[in-house]
């Protein structure tokens, strides 16, 4: 007697512990991405609020005074008049714009730091613990930092040269030293040489990196460095920020503190600003001297960086030297953590948005 047997495929149930690990991994990754979304939202919202309030307080009264003596006006005429007044106002066309920009950027970095630390349970004070930093490590880091700066610039120039073959261009940063306002220049220097580096390190090498190192230090360093590059919003700074971000991540993990990276970030930006000041206010002879010195300096740092990486290649490990903050005893193993990270909803949305935003600089007509 023949009987029909139905083959039932085996059902595999994931270990509840693994499911819990993946749940908290995705939660942490999305918290990191939400912090970056909060940064972007604050930049756009605070800029809009400032411009709206300034227009209502400063420009609209002048426009209304003019319209009061004109017999006939239309909405279009009023709009064009407001746009013309904005194009003539020093707040929108001069260096004074860096004053509100200073406060907007600082708030846009600090509030996500608070948000992410609250969501992931990190103590901000723990980011400033006394790391194991030596003079030799600091000096080598300075050389490598400037070498990576030059390498990132080379990548950008090569990429831009390829784009120009087809008639396109990848814009660099639109920030430059203002010379029409002493207050604006002061705000620019404070932003780039002090407050910007401190708050960016708090955000990227602080709460974001520390939130992800529990799932692997290399994974955390690469992921946060890519996000650091993307947050600059242009291809001109992306390569430099990515490479320098990797260096800063390595140093933060190695020393267990962001003190060294804050100092390096301040030094890096200050060097650029001093170069700008020299070109803006110096003589033609000084311009030539700066150009020659910068070229030789950066080429020398790049060569030294290559030598350092070759000589120390076996000693470069993303492992902490500081027992207080060592991550080796609490790494949570997540298979394919990198791929899972970029597939998280908020992370993927951030990646797509920033890539499209950067492409708009190349294809402004889109």
């Amino acid at each position: 007697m023949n009987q029909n047997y139905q083959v039932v495929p085996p059902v595999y149930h994931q270990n509840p512990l693994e499911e819990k690990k993946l749940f908290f991994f995705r939660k942490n990754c999305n918290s990191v991405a939400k912090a970056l979304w909060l940064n972007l939202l604050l930049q756009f919202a605070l800029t809009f609020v400032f411009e709206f309030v300034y227009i209502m307080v400063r420009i609209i009264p002048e426009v209304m005074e003019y319209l009061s003596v004109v017999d006939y006006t239309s909405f279009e005429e009023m709009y064009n008049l407001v746009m013309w007044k904005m194009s003539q106002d020093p707040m929108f066309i001069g260096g004074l714009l860096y004053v509100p920009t200073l406060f907007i950027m600082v708030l846009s970095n600090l509030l996500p730091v608070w948000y992410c630390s609250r969501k992931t349970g990190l103590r901000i004070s723990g980011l400033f613990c006394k790391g194991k930093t030596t003079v030799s490590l600091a000096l080598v880091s300075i050389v490598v930092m400037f070498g990576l700066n030059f390498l990132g610039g080379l990548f950008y120039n090569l990429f831009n040269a390829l784009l120009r073959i087809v008639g396109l261009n990848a814009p660099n940063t639109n920030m430059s030293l203002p010379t029409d306002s002493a207050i604006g220049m002061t705000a620019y220097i404070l932003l780039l040489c002090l407050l910007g580096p401190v708050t960016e390190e708090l955000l990227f090498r602080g709460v974001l990196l520390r939130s992800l190192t529990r799932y692997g230090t290399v994974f955390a360093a690469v992921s946060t460095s890519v996000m650091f590059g993307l947050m600059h919003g242009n291809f001109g700074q992306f390569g430099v920020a990515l490479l320098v971000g990797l260096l800063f991540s390595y140093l933060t993990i190695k020393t267990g503190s962001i003190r060294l990276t804050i100092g390096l970030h301040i030094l890096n930006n200050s060097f650029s600003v001093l170069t700008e000041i020299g070109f803006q206010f110096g003589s033609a002879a000084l311009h030539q001297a700066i150009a020659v010195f910068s070229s030789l300096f950066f080429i020398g740092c790049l060569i030294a960086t290559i030598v350092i990486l070759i000589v120390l290649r076996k000693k470069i490990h993303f492992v902490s030297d500081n027992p207080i903050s060592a991550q080796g005893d609490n790494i949570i193993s997540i298979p394919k953590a990198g791929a899972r990270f970029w597939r998280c909803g908020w992370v993927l949305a951030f990646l797509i948005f920033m890539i499209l935003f950067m492409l708009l600089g190349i294809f402004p007509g889109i």
Side-chain angles (χ1 to χ4, degrees), residues 277-279 281-291:
I277 293 174
F279 276 113
F281 300 104
S283 61
L286 181 60
H287 294 175
Q288 186 176 4
I290 292 174

Side-chain angles (χ1 to χ4, degrees), residues 18-75:
E18 293 298 319
E19 290 182 355
K20 187 176 181 180
K21 284 164 55 177
L22 286 175
F23 171 78
F24 283 106
F25 172 75
R26 287 191 291 266
K27 183 179 179 180
N28 260 16
C29 293
N30 282 321
S31 295
V32 166
K34 287 177 183 178
L36 296 177
W37 275 110
L38 179 60
N39 178 286
L40 293 174
L41 179 63
L42 286 169
Q43 288 187 51
F44 290 127
L46 292 175
T47 300
F48 173 79
V49 169
F50 164 74
E51 291 182 352
F52 178 79
V53 171
Y54 187 84
I55 290 171
M56 295 300 295
V57 173
R58 176 70 183 268
I59 294 180
I60 292 297
E62 296 181 6
V63 172
M64 297 305 296
E65 183 180 355
Y66 168 78
L67 295 178
S68 64
V69 297
V70 178
D71 295 333
Y72 172 77
T73 57
S74 64
F75 177 79

Side-chain angles (χ1 to χ4, degrees), residues 42 61 106 160 232 248 251 296 300 350:
L42 286 169
V106 170
N160 218 13
H232 283 75
F248 287 177
L251 293 172
L296 294 176
F350 171 78

Side-chain angles (χ1 to χ4, degrees), residues 136-137 140 250-251 254 307-321:
S136 59
L137 176 63
V140 169
Y250 168 77
L251 293 172
K254 183 177 178 64
V307 173
I308 290 170
L309 293 178
I310 292 174
V311 173
L312 300 179
R313 66 188 183 278
K314 294 183 179 180
K315 296 183 179 180
I316 299 175
H317 304 288
F318 285 79
V319 179
S320 177
D321 287 342

Side-chain angles (χ1 to χ4, degrees), residues 59 67 187 192 231 242 260 319 349:
I59 294 180
L67 295 178
L192 265 68
M231 278 298 291
L242 171 61
L260 176 59
V319 179

